[in-house]
Amino acid sequence: MKSQSFVITDAQGLHARPCASIVAAVRNFDSTVTMTYQGTVFDASNPIALMTAGVACNDEIIFTVSGNDEDKAMESLEELIKKELT
């Protein structure tokens, strides 16, 4: 299992477009991916769950990846977050 925290610096926070990108990326892997925000765990393969989390600019989120391809999945998430949300 791997966990990594990210601070969202996009002025709009975690909105529809990056949520869709996260879901698309997560679905390419066999690993289970969750996002934790303010102590609540959200299924990262569910776009509605991600959008309803209410992540705003300068908020910290934590992705946890567990499975046989967790390294590749985490690398993909890290790249995506840096590209779209920071």
Side-chain angles (χ1 to χ4, degrees):
M1 179 169 34
K2 293 187 166 280
S3 292
Q4 186 168 345
S5 67
F6 300 93
V7 175
I8 304 304
T9 57
D10 184 287
Q12 297 176 1
L14 189 57
H15 54 92
R17 183 182 40 79
C19 284
S21 295
I22 290 168
V23 169
V26 165
R27 290 184 177 167
N28 288 324
F29 299 99
D30 292 329
S31 294
T32 300
V33 183
T34 59
M35 180 188 81
T36 304
Y37 174 63
Q38 294 183 337
T40 303
V41 178
F42 300 90
D43 178 358
S45 67
N46 182 334
I48 302 301
L50 295 179
M51 286 189 291
T52 60
V55 179
C57 183
N58 296 319
D59 285 346
E60 180 182 31
I61 59 174
I62 301 168
F63 280 104
T64 302
V65 183
S66 179
N68 62 350
D69 56 0
E70 62 190 26
D71 291 329
K72 289 183 180 185
M74 185 61 81
E75 287 173 14
S76 177
L77 281 169
E78 184 175 359
E79 183 178 308
L80 178 74
I81 297 297
K82 286 180 180 178
K83 178 181 169 186
E84 293 196 28
L85 290 165
T86 58

